[in-house]
Amino acid sequence: MAIQWYPGHMHKAKKAIIERLKSVDMVIEVLDARLPASSENPLLAKLSADKPKLKILNKQDLADPERTAVWLAEFQSRPNTNAIALDASDRGAAAKLIEACRKLVPNRKGVDKPLRVLICGIPNVGKSTLINGMLGKKSAKTGNEPGITKAEQRLFLADDFWLYDTPGMLWPKIIVEESGYNLAASGAVGRNALDEETVALELLDYLRRHYLSLLQERYQADRDASSHWRDDEWLEWIGRKRGALLPGGRINYQKAAENTLTDFRDGQIGRITLETPQQWENWLKKARQHEAALKAEREARKAARKGQPLQEH
Ligand code: G4P
């Protein structure tokens, strides 16, 4: 599976971000705590290499707390980077976020030297919710100012704290297969990109290997019998449990898949994180090897073609 997800507005967003990066002091990247690596934008890392960065692991209320701690340590070990975990229900989220920014760039304060922050995140990670929390009763100051693009917003959180908001963007090509599935499971990649049954089966395959007891509990499956079920057997069970049936009592797999994904997105199965730093490393390695093999094959075919006379069709 390869998701190619690069519609025009994301290309525009990339240009806007490159332009804005020239005049900000630091970058906040909002991530989904359930898939911190998959929701990270590799392009942003490249573009903003020299800027201090704050990674927000948002939706921590839905994520596995042990894994969140591991991910925070992983991000904090990167140069010039801090990371905090938040969730929308956390009333102090805005204050924590602002404090973390101030700590990261302590020399920018006072009206003469406002702290200028760019906030980015792929769609659905909760960026708007966080911004609204930071704004409180203040109204958003939008576009139509010199130097501010229409798609962009400049928000004055304090006289000396300016936040630039950019529209969501994803990367040109998702090369790590698992990240495509994880983004789809979280709802960040739209319905059209991948079919729900495939996404639900991938999710169930991960859950049965890493969160079996949560699955068993949520769907009241016999512990012994279900401990060896495959992903499709789980989907069938969920379909039966949730009454996703077609006439004649056959399973409506599409409906069962939708139920599974909704349960996951709402945190009904439990607090789950779909990747660890170690797993991510392995997936990345596998993807790179696959890319390299494809490239080598292509080169070999090209070389073979050059050595052969053109064939007539
Ligand atoms: P975006 O700007 O990054 O695209 O995301 P947005 O804030 O619109 O949030 C996307 C969805 O995620 C919203 O739910 C929002 O309520 C939810 N959300 C944001 N932050 C958190 C969080 O920390 N924890 C949890 N559990 N949910 C969070 P929605 O169903 O699309 O809308 P609604 O239910 O708020 O109406």
Side-chain angles (χ1 to χ4, degrees):
M1 181 222 55
I3 304 178
Q4 304 279 339
W5 184 254
Y6 202 29
H9 69 271
M10 290 191 186
H11 186 65
K12 270 192 216 143
K14 178 183 163 190
K15 277 174 76 180
I17 286 174
I18 292 174
E19 208 38 52
R20 179 51 58 209
L21 275 169
K22 293 177 191 161
S23 59
V24 295
D25 306 302
M26 61 165 287
V27 177
I28 296 177
E29 187 173 19
V30 186
L31 304 173
D32 187 328
R34 296 165 301 171
L35 42 144
S38 294
S39 57
E40 201 184 9
N41 191 325
L43 205 60
L44 183 67
K46 225 192 246 175
L47 299 175
S48 63
D50 58 329
K51 303 278 177 189
K53 278 177 264 300
L54 177 65
K55 304 276 185 184
I56 311 275
L57 271 66
N58 196 39
K59 306 197 183 186
Q60 69 156 335
D61 54 314
L62 301 175
D64 178 337
E66 277 178 30
R67 289 187 172 193
T68 298
V70 174
W71 275 111
L72 285 176
E74 152 70 22
F75 288 122
Q76 284 161 353
S77 72
R78 297 186 190 175
N80 224 357
T81 305
N82 195 7
I84 54 173
L86 293 177
D87 65 77
S89 62
D90 181 350
R91 283 173 163 263
K96 280 185 198 157
L97 212 154
I98 292 171
E99 191 195 330
C101 291
R102 297 253 190 230
K103 262 197 189 147
L104 206 55
V105 190
N107 63 325
R108 296 284 316 186
K109 55 177 184 248
V111 277
D112 298 341
K113 274 202 301 179
L115 178 54
R116 297 156 303 175
V117 181
L118 174 65
I119 186 164
C120 304
I122 64 164
N124 207 39
V125 286
K127 191 179 68 164
S128 315
T129 310
L130 279 176
I131 291 177
N132 288 337
M134 282 197 279
L135 271 175
K137 291 202 173 63
K138 291 185 212 80
S139 61
K141 188 138 185 168
T142 47
N144 291 343
E145 283 179 61
I148 311 276
T149 65
K150 265 213 179 119
E152 197 179 36
Q153 284 194 319
R154 180 164 65 178
L155 310 164
F156 296 96
L157 297 188
D159 284 345
D160 63 347
F161 193 110
W162 300 356
L163 190 70
Y164 291 93
D165 181 21
T166 55
M169 80 165 181
L170 281 184
W171 41 88
K173 193 174 166 197
I174 296 169
I175 64 155
V176 178
E177 191 176 16
E178 290 81 355
S179 80
Y181 290 125
N182 289 352
L183 285 163
S186 77
V189 173
R191 277 181 143 218
N192 301 334
L194 277 175
D195 100 89
E196 279 161 322
E197 199 176 315
T198 310
V199 176
L201 285 170
E202 284 293 329
L203 174 66
L204 288 169
D205 189 47
Y206 189 88
L207 298 184
R208 77 177 179 83
R209 286 183 290 118
H210 300 281
Y211 290 101
L212 181 62
S213 55
L214 290 185
L215 263 188
Q216 290 173 325
E217 212 165 294
R218 166 68 185 158
Y219 299 110
Q220 297 163 324
D222 180 83
R223 286 201 177 268
D224 290 333
S226 65
S227 62
H228 300 294
W229 284 354
R230 296 183 312 260
D231 46 15
D232 55 324
E233 290 171 304
W234 269 109
L235 191 59
E236 187 174 334
W237 176 261
I238 293 169
R240 284 204 191 289
K241 272 278 166 200
R242 301 286 298 267
L245 299 172
L246 293 166
R250 281 177 304 124
I251 301 292
N252 182 340
Y253 285 99
Q254 171 63 28
K255 191 99 189 101
E258 283 171 20
N259 284 333
T260 309
L261 293 175
T262 307
D263 280 356
F264 168 70
R265 289 171 191 159
D266 293 346
Q268 296 291 335
I269 306 175
R271 295 182 71 175
I272 290 165
T273 299
L274 295 176
E275 51 204 36
T276 64
Q278 189 59 55
Q279 286 165 349
W280 177 255
E281 268 306 305
N282 294 341
W283 297 341
L284 205 57
K285 208 159 118 193
K286 194 180 70 181
R288 284 188 183 136
Q289 281 166 352
H290 182 65
E291 283 267 299
L294 282 182
K295 196 171 162 207
E297 242 177 65
R298 210 177 300 128
E299 291 300 318
R301 281 203 303 273
K302 195 168 145 197
R305 270 201 310 275
K306 278 194 179 155
Q308 284 172 1
L310 262 181
Q311 286 185 351
E312 281 191 32
H313 289 283

Short mmCIF file of all heavy atoms in Angstrom, two decimals, residues 14-70:
data_model
loop_
_atom_site.label_atom_id
_atom_site.label_comp_id
_atom_site.label_asym_id
_atom_site.label_seq_id
_atom_site.Cartn_x
_atom_site.Cartn_y
_atom_site.Cartn_z
N LYS A 14 3.27 24.27 2.26
CA LYS A 14 4.73 24.11 2.36
C LYS A 14 5.42 25.44 2.03
O LYS A 14 6.33 25.88 2.75
CB LYS A 14 5.19 23.01 1.40
CG LYS A 14 6.69 22.82 1.41
CD LYS A 14 7.10 21.77 0.40
CE LYS A 14 8.59 21.89 0.12
NZ LYS A 14 9.00 21.06 -1.00
N LYS A 15 4.94 26.08 0.96
CA LYS A 15 5.55 27.36 0.58
C LYS A 15 5.36 28.40 1.68
O LYS A 15 6.27 29.16 2.02
CB LYS A 15 4.94 27.86 -0.73
CG LYS A 15 5.61 27.19 -1.93
CD LYS A 15 4.94 27.54 -3.22
CE LYS A 15 5.26 28.93 -3.71
NZ LYS A 15 4.56 29.21 -5.00
N ALA A 16 4.15 28.40 2.25
CA ALA A 16 3.85 29.38 3.32
C ALA A 16 4.75 29.14 4.53
O ALA A 16 5.24 30.08 5.15
CB ALA A 16 2.38 29.27 3.72
N ILE A 17 4.98 27.87 4.83
CA ILE A 17 5.80 27.55 6.00
C ILE A 17 7.25 27.97 5.77
O ILE A 17 7.89 28.55 6.65
CB ILE A 17 5.69 26.05 6.34
CG1 ILE A 17 4.32 25.79 6.98
CG2 ILE A 17 6.80 25.59 7.27
CD1 ILE A 17 4.00 24.35 7.25
N ILE A 18 7.76 27.70 4.56
CA ILE A 18 9.14 28.09 4.25
C ILE A 18 9.29 29.60 4.45
O ILE A 18 10.25 30.08 5.05
CB ILE A 18 9.52 27.69 2.80
CG1 ILE A 18 9.59 26.16 2.70
CG2 ILE A 18 10.83 28.34 2.36
CD1 ILE A 18 9.81 25.63 1.31
N GLU A 19 8.32 30.34 3.96
CA GLU A 19 8.36 31.81 4.05
C GLU A 19 8.31 32.25 5.52
O GLU A 19 9.11 33.05 5.97
CB GLU A 19 7.15 32.34 3.26
CG GLU A 19 7.32 33.71 2.66
CD GLU A 19 8.70 34.01 2.10
OE1 GLU A 19 9.26 33.23 1.29
OE2 GLU A 19 9.24 35.04 2.54
N ARG A 20 7.37 31.67 6.27
CA ARG A 20 7.18 32.08 7.66
C ARG A 20 8.35 31.72 8.56
O ARG A 20 8.70 32.46 9.48
CB ARG A 20 5.86 31.46 8.19
CG ARG A 20 5.52 31.77 9.62
CD ARG A 20 5.55 33.26 9.93
NE ARG A 20 4.66 34.02 9.08
CZ ARG A 20 4.89 35.30 8.75
NH1 ARG A 20 5.96 35.94 9.20
NH2 ARG A 20 4.04 35.94 7.97
N LEU A 21 9.01 30.61 8.24
CA LEU A 21 10.13 30.16 9.08
C LEU A 21 11.24 31.21 9.16
O LEU A 21 11.97 31.26 10.14
CB LEU A 21 10.70 28.85 8.53
CG LEU A 21 9.99 27.57 9.01
CD1 LEU A 21 10.46 26.38 8.20
CD2 LEU A 21 10.23 27.35 10.50
N LYS A 22 11.30 32.07 8.13
CA LYS A 22 12.36 33.08 8.12
C LYS A 22 12.20 34.06 9.28
O LYS A 22 13.16 34.69 9.70
CB LYS A 22 12.34 33.84 6.78
CG LYS A 22 12.72 32.98 5.60
CD LYS A 22 12.60 33.79 4.30
CE LYS A 22 12.72 32.88 3.10
NZ LYS A 22 12.19 33.49 1.88
N SER A 23 10.96 34.23 9.76
CA SER A 23 10.77 35.29 10.76
C SER A 23 10.18 34.78 12.07
O SER A 23 9.50 35.52 12.78
CB SER A 23 9.86 36.38 10.18
OG SER A 23 8.63 35.80 9.84
N VAL A 24 10.38 33.50 12.39
CA VAL A 24 9.92 33.05 13.72
C VAL A 24 11.12 32.58 14.55
O VAL A 24 12.19 32.30 14.02
CB VAL A 24 8.86 31.91 13.64
CG1 VAL A 24 7.59 32.39 12.98
CG2 VAL A 24 9.42 30.69 12.94
N ASP A 25 10.88 32.51 15.87
CA ASP A 25 11.97 32.13 16.78
C ASP A 25 11.95 30.65 17.11
O ASP A 25 12.96 30.09 17.54
CB ASP A 25 11.84 32.92 18.09
CG ASP A 25 11.77 34.41 17.82
OD1 ASP A 25 12.72 34.93 17.21
OD2 ASP A 25 10.75 35.04 18.16
N MET A 26 10.78 30.02 16.97
CA MET A 26 10.69 28.59 17.30
C MET A 26 9.47 27.98 16.63
O MET A 26 8.61 28.69 16.10
CB MET A 26 10.61 28.39 18.81
CG MET A 26 9.41 29.03 19.46
SD MET A 26 9.10 28.42 21.13
CE MET A 26 8.48 26.78 20.80
N VAL A 27 9.42 26.66 16.66
CA VAL A 27 8.32 25.95 16.00
C VAL A 27 7.66 24.98 16.98
O VAL A 27 8.35 24.23 17.68
CB VAL A 27 8.85 25.14 14.79
CG1 VAL A 27 7.74 24.32 14.14
CG2 VAL A 27 9.50 26.06 13.77
N ILE A 28 6.32 25.03 17.04
CA ILE A 28 5.58 24.01 17.79
C ILE A 28 5.04 23.02 16.76
O ILE A 28 4.42 23.43 15.76
CB ILE A 28 4.35 24.61 18.52
CG1 ILE A 28 4.79 25.60 19.59
CG2 ILE A 28 3.50 23.51 19.14
CD1 ILE A 28 3.61 26.28 20.30
N GLU A 29 5.26 21.75 16.98
CA GLU A 29 4.61 20.76 16.13
C GLU A 29 3.66 19.94 16.99
O GLU A 29 4.08 19.30 17.95
CB GLU A 29 5.62 19.84 15.43
CG GLU A 29 4.92 18.95 14.42
CD GLU A 29 5.84 18.11 13.55
OE1 GLU A 29 7.01 17.91 13.92
OE2 GLU A 29 5.39 17.65 12.50
N VAL A 30 2.37 19.98 16.62
CA VAL A 30 1.38 19.21 17.37
C VAL A 30 1.31 17.81 16.76
O VAL A 30 1.13 17.66 15.56
CB VAL A 30 -0.02 19.89 17.33
CG1 VAL A 30 -0.98 19.15 18.24
CG2 VAL A 30 0.06 21.36 17.72
N LEU A 31 1.50 16.81 17.62
CA LEU A 31 1.47 15.42 17.17
C LEU A 31 0.33 14.69 17.86
O LEU A 31 -0.18 15.14 18.88
CB LEU A 31 2.80 14.74 17.54
CG LEU A 31 4.08 15.40 17.03
CD1 LEU A 31 5.30 14.70 17.61
CD2 LEU A 31 4.12 15.37 15.51
N ASP A 32 -0.03 13.57 17.31
CA ASP A 32 -1.03 12.71 17.95
C ASP A 32 -0.28 11.72 18.83
O ASP A 32 0.53 10.93 18.33
CB ASP A 32 -1.84 11.99 16.86
CG ASP A 32 -3.01 11.20 17.43
OD1 ASP A 32 -2.90 10.70 18.57
OD2 ASP A 32 -4.03 11.09 16.73
N ALA A 33 -0.53 11.78 20.13
CA ALA A 33 0.23 10.94 21.08
C ALA A 33 0.06 9.45 20.80
O ALA A 33 0.85 8.63 21.25
CB ALA A 33 -0.20 11.25 22.51
N ARG A 34 -0.98 9.07 20.06
CA ARG A 34 -1.18 7.65 19.75
C ARG A 34 -0.29 7.19 18.60
O ARG A 34 -0.11 6.01 18.37
CB ARG A 34 -2.65 7.38 19.39
CG ARG A 34 -3.60 7.65 20.53
CD ARG A 34 -5.03 7.72 20.05
NE ARG A 34 -5.20 8.77 19.05
CZ ARG A 34 -6.29 8.95 18.34
NH1 ARG A 34 -7.31 8.16 18.50
NH2 ARG A 34 -6.38 9.94 17.46
N LEU A 35 0.24 8.17 17.83
CA LEU A 35 1.11 7.84 16.70
C LEU A 35 2.13 8.95 16.49
O LEU A 35 2.12 9.63 15.48
CB LEU A 35 0.29 7.56 15.42
CG LEU A 35 -0.89 8.46 15.11
CD1 LEU A 35 -1.01 8.68 13.60
CD2 LEU A 35 -2.17 7.81 15.60
N PRO A 36 3.00 9.14 17.47
CA PRO A 36 3.87 10.32 17.45
C PRO A 36 4.77 10.39 16.22
O PRO A 36 4.98 11.48 15.67
CB PRO A 36 4.72 10.16 18.72
CG PRO A 36 3.93 9.26 19.60
CD PRO A 36 3.21 8.32 18.67
N ALA A 37 5.29 9.28 15.77
CA ALA A 37 6.19 9.32 14.62
C ALA A 37 5.42 9.47 13.32
O ALA A 37 5.79 10.24 12.44
CB ALA A 37 7.06 8.07 14.57
N SER A 38 4.32 8.74 13.21
CA SER A 38 3.53 8.81 11.97
C SER A 38 2.92 10.18 11.77
O SER A 38 2.73 10.62 10.64
CB SER A 38 2.41 7.77 11.99
OG SER A 38 2.95 6.48 11.96
N SER A 39 2.60 10.88 12.89
CA SER A 39 1.98 12.20 12.72
C SER A 39 3.02 13.32 12.67
O SER A 39 2.67 14.49 12.55
CB SER A 39 0.96 12.45 13.85
OG SER A 39 1.57 12.34 15.12
N GLU A 40 4.28 12.94 12.73
CA GLU A 40 5.34 13.94 12.61
C GLU A 40 5.59 14.21 11.14
O GLU A 40 5.47 13.31 10.30
CB GLU A 40 6.62 13.39 13.25
CG GLU A 40 7.59 14.46 13.63
CD GLU A 40 8.90 13.88 14.19
OE1 GLU A 40 9.09 12.66 14.12
OE2 GLU A 40 9.71 14.68 14.66
N ASN A 41 5.95 15.44 10.83
CA ASN A 41 6.16 15.79 9.44
C ASN A 41 7.66 15.86 9.12
O ASN A 41 8.32 16.81 9.54
CB ASN A 41 5.49 17.13 9.14
CG ASN A 41 5.45 17.41 7.67
OD1 ASN A 41 6.38 17.05 6.95
ND2 ASN A 41 4.40 18.03 7.22
N PRO A 42 8.19 14.90 8.39
CA PRO A 42 9.62 14.89 8.13
C PRO A 42 10.08 16.11 7.34
O PRO A 42 11.21 16.58 7.47
CB PRO A 42 9.84 13.61 7.32
CG PRO A 42 8.51 13.12 6.92
CD PRO A 42 7.48 13.77 7.79
N LEU A 43 9.15 16.63 6.55
CA LEU A 43 9.48 17.81 5.76
C LEU A 43 9.71 19.02 6.67
O LEU A 43 10.64 19.80 6.49
CB LEU A 43 8.30 18.09 4.83
CG LEU A 43 8.58 18.85 3.56
CD1 LEU A 43 9.56 18.10 2.69
CD2 LEU A 43 7.27 19.08 2.81
N LEU A 44 8.88 19.11 7.69
CA LEU A 44 9.01 20.22 8.63
C LEU A 44 10.35 20.14 9.36
O LEU A 44 11.03 21.15 9.55
CB LEU A 44 7.86 20.18 9.64
CG LEU A 44 7.83 21.33 10.64
CD1 LEU A 44 7.54 22.65 9.95
CD2 LEU A 44 6.81 21.08 11.73
N ALA A 45 10.73 18.93 9.73
CA ALA A 45 12.01 18.75 10.43
C ALA A 45 13.15 19.26 9.55
O ALA A 45 14.07 19.93 10.02
CB ALA A 45 12.21 17.27 10.75
N LYS A 46 13.06 18.96 8.27
CA LYS A 46 14.11 19.38 7.34
C LYS A 46 14.11 20.90 7.17
O LYS A 46 15.15 21.54 7.25
CB LYS A 46 13.81 18.73 5.97
CG LYS A 46 15.04 18.12 5.31
CD LYS A 46 14.72 17.79 3.90
CE LYS A 46 14.75 16.28 3.66
NZ LYS A 46 14.32 15.95 2.30
N LEU A 47 12.91 21.46 7.01
CA LEU A 47 12.81 22.90 6.74
C LEU A 47 13.20 23.74 7.95
O LEU A 47 13.71 24.85 7.79
CB LEU A 47 11.36 23.26 6.35
CG LEU A 47 10.79 22.61 5.09
CD1 LEU A 47 9.33 22.99 4.91
CD2 LEU A 47 11.58 23.05 3.87
N SER A 48 12.93 23.21 9.14
CA SER A 48 13.13 24.04 10.34
C SER A 48 14.32 23.56 11.17
O SER A 48 14.35 23.76 12.38
CB SER A 48 11.86 24.03 11.19
OG SER A 48 11.63 22.71 11.64
N ALA A 49 15.27 22.94 10.53
CA ALA A 49 16.38 22.29 11.24
C ALA A 49 17.04 23.18 12.29
O ALA A 49 17.39 22.71 13.37
CB ALA A 49 17.40 21.81 10.23
N ASP A 50 17.19 24.47 12.00
CA ASP A 50 17.95 25.32 12.91
C ASP A 50 17.10 25.98 14.00
O ASP A 50 17.62 26.71 14.85
CB ASP A 50 18.67 26.41 12.09
CG ASP A 50 17.67 27.24 11.30
OD1 ASP A 50 16.63 26.67 10.90
OD2 ASP A 50 17.90 28.44 11.11
N LYS A 51 15.79 25.75 14.02
CA LYS A 51 14.93 26.43 15.01
C LYS A 51 14.67 25.54 16.23
O LYS A 51 14.51 24.33 16.09
CB LYS A 51 13.56 26.73 14.38
CG LYS A 51 13.60 27.56 13.13
CD LYS A 51 13.72 29.03 13.44
CE LYS A 51 13.84 29.83 12.14
NZ LYS A 51 14.17 31.20 12.33
N PRO A 52 14.58 26.15 17.40
CA PRO A 52 14.15 25.37 18.57
C PRO A 52 12.74 24.81 18.33
O PRO A 52 11.91 25.48 17.71
CB PRO A 52 14.12 26.40 19.70
CG PRO A 52 14.94 27.54 19.22
CD PRO A 52 14.87 27.55 17.73
N LYS A 53 12.55 23.59 18.81
CA LYS A 53 11.25 22.95 18.53
C LYS A 53 10.59 22.44 19.81
O LYS A 53 11.26 21.91 20.69
CB LYS A 53 11.46 21.76 17.60
CG LYS A 53 11.54 22.22 16.14
CD LYS A 53 11.82 21.07 15.21
CE LYS A 53 13.28 20.93 14.87
NZ LYS A 53 13.91 22.04 14.22
N LEU A 54 9.27 22.61 19.84
CA LEU A 54 8.47 22.03 20.93
C LEU A 54 7.50 21.03 20.31
O LEU A 54 6.68 21.39 19.46
CB LEU A 54 7.70 23.14 21.67
CG LEU A 54 6.78 22.65 22.78
CD1 LEU A 54 7.57 22.01 23.91
CD2 LEU A 54 5.93 23.80 23.32
N LYS A 55 7.63 19.78 20.72
CA LYS A 55 6.71 18.75 20.22
C LYS A 55 5.60 18.58 21.25
O LYS A 55 5.88 18.37 22.44
CB LYS A 55 7.44 17.40 20.08
CG LYS A 55 8.67 17.47 19.20
CD LYS A 55 8.30 17.35 17.76
CE LYS A 55 9.55 17.30 16.89
NZ LYS A 55 9.22 17.28 15.47
N ILE A 56 4.36 18.69 20.79
CA ILE A 56 3.23 18.47 21.70
C ILE A 56 2.65 17.10 21.38
O ILE A 56 2.20 16.87 20.26
CB ILE A 56 2.10 19.50 21.45
CG1 ILE A 56 2.64 20.92 21.40
CG2 ILE A 56 0.98 19.31 22.47
CD1 ILE A 56 2.80 21.57 22.68
N LEU A 57 2.66 16.23 22.36
CA LEU A 57 1.97 14.95 22.17
C LEU A 57 0.55 15.14 22.67
O LEU A 57 0.26 15.00 23.85
CB LEU A 57 2.69 13.83 22.94
CG LEU A 57 3.80 13.12 22.15
CD1 LEU A 57 4.94 14.06 21.85
CD2 LEU A 57 4.30 11.91 22.89
N ASN A 58 -0.30 15.51 21.72
CA ASN A 58 -1.68 15.84 22.10
C ASN A 58 -2.55 14.58 22.14
O ASN A 58 -2.15 13.55 21.62
CB ASN A 58 -2.24 16.87 21.11
CG ASN A 58 -3.47 17.55 21.63
OD1 ASN A 58 -3.54 17.87 22.83
ND2 ASN A 58 -4.45 17.78 20.79
N LYS A 59 -3.71 14.69 22.70
CA LYS A 59 -4.63 13.55 22.89
C LYS A 59 -3.99 12.50 23.77
O LYS A 59 -4.18 11.30 23.57
CB LYS A 59 -5.04 12.94 21.54
CG LYS A 59 -5.63 13.93 20.54
CD LYS A 59 -6.39 13.25 19.43
CE LYS A 59 -6.89 14.29 18.43
NZ LYS A 59 -7.74 13.76 17.39
N GLN A 60 -3.22 12.95 24.75
CA GLN A 60 -2.58 11.97 25.64
C GLN A 60 -3.60 11.16 26.42
O GLN A 60 -3.31 10.07 26.89
CB GLN A 60 -1.61 12.66 26.60
CG GLN A 60 -2.27 13.53 27.64
CD GLN A 60 -1.38 13.72 28.86
OE1 GLN A 60 -0.54 12.90 29.16
NE2 GLN A 60 -1.57 14.84 29.55
N ASP A 61 -4.81 11.72 26.56
CA ASP A 61 -5.87 10.98 27.28
C ASP A 61 -6.26 9.69 26.56
O ASP A 61 -6.80 8.77 27.16
CB ASP A 61 -7.11 11.87 27.46
CG ASP A 61 -7.61 12.45 26.14
OD1 ASP A 61 -6.78 12.95 25.36
OD2 ASP A 61 -8.82 12.40 25.87
N LEU A 62 -5.96 9.63 25.24
CA LEU A 62 -6.31 8.43 24.47
C LEU A 62 -5.12 7.48 24.32
O LEU A 62 -5.25 6.35 23.85
CB LEU A 62 -6.80 8.83 23.06
CG LEU A 62 -8.02 9.76 23.00
CD1 LEU A 62 -8.29 10.17 21.55
CD2 LEU A 62 -9.24 9.07 23.58
N ALA A 63 -3.93 7.98 24.69
CA ALA A 63 -2.70 7.21 24.42
C ALA A 63 -2.26 6.40 25.65
O ALA A 63 -2.64 6.70 26.78
CB ALA A 63 -1.59 8.17 24.00
N ASP A 64 -1.42 5.42 25.39
CA ASP A 64 -0.86 4.55 26.44
C ASP A 64 0.16 5.37 27.24
O ASP A 64 1.19 5.80 26.68
CB ASP A 64 -0.19 3.38 25.70
CG ASP A 64 0.49 2.40 26.62
OD1 ASP A 64 0.84 2.78 27.75
OD2 ASP A 64 0.69 1.25 26.19
N PRO A 65 -0.09 5.62 28.53
CA PRO A 65 0.79 6.54 29.29
C PRO A 65 2.25 6.09 29.34
O PRO A 65 3.15 6.93 29.28
CB PRO A 65 0.19 6.55 30.69
CG PRO A 65 -1.04 5.73 30.67
CD PRO A 65 -1.20 5.09 29.34
N GLU A 66 2.47 4.77 29.42
CA GLU A 66 3.87 4.30 29.46
C GLU A 66 4.60 4.64 28.18
O GLU A 66 5.75 5.06 28.17
CB GLU A 66 3.90 2.79 29.68
CG GLU A 66 3.76 2.40 31.12
CD GLU A 66 3.74 0.90 31.33
OE1 GLU A 66 4.36 0.17 30.54
OE2 GLU A 66 3.08 0.47 32.29
N ARG A 67 3.91 4.42 27.08
CA ARG A 67 4.54 4.71 25.79
C ARG A 67 4.70 6.22 25.57
O ARG A 67 5.66 6.65 24.95
CB ARG A 67 3.72 4.09 24.66
CG ARG A 67 3.82 2.58 24.64
CD ARG A 67 3.16 2.01 23.42
NE ARG A 67 3.42 0.58 23.31
CZ ARG A 67 3.19 -0.14 22.24
NH1 ARG A 67 2.66 0.43 21.16
NH2 ARG A 67 3.46 -1.43 22.19
N THR A 68 3.77 7.01 26.11
CA THR A 68 3.90 8.47 25.98
C THR A 68 5.20 8.91 26.66
O THR A 68 5.94 9.74 26.13
CB THR A 68 2.68 9.19 26.59
OG1 THR A 68 1.52 8.79 25.85
CG2 THR A 68 2.82 10.70 26.51
N ALA A 69 5.47 8.33 27.84
CA ALA A 69 6.70 8.71 28.56
C ALA A 69 7.94 8.35 27.73
O ALA A 69 8.90 9.13 27.68
CB ALA A 69 6.73 7.98 29.90
N VAL A 70 7.89 7.20 27.07
CA VAL A 70 9.03 6.79 26.24
C VAL A 70 9.22 7.76 25.07
O VAL A 70 10.33 8.18 24.74
CB VAL A 70 8.81 5.34 25.72
CG1 VAL A 70 9.91 4.94 24.75
CG2 VAL A 70 8.74 4.36 26.88
#
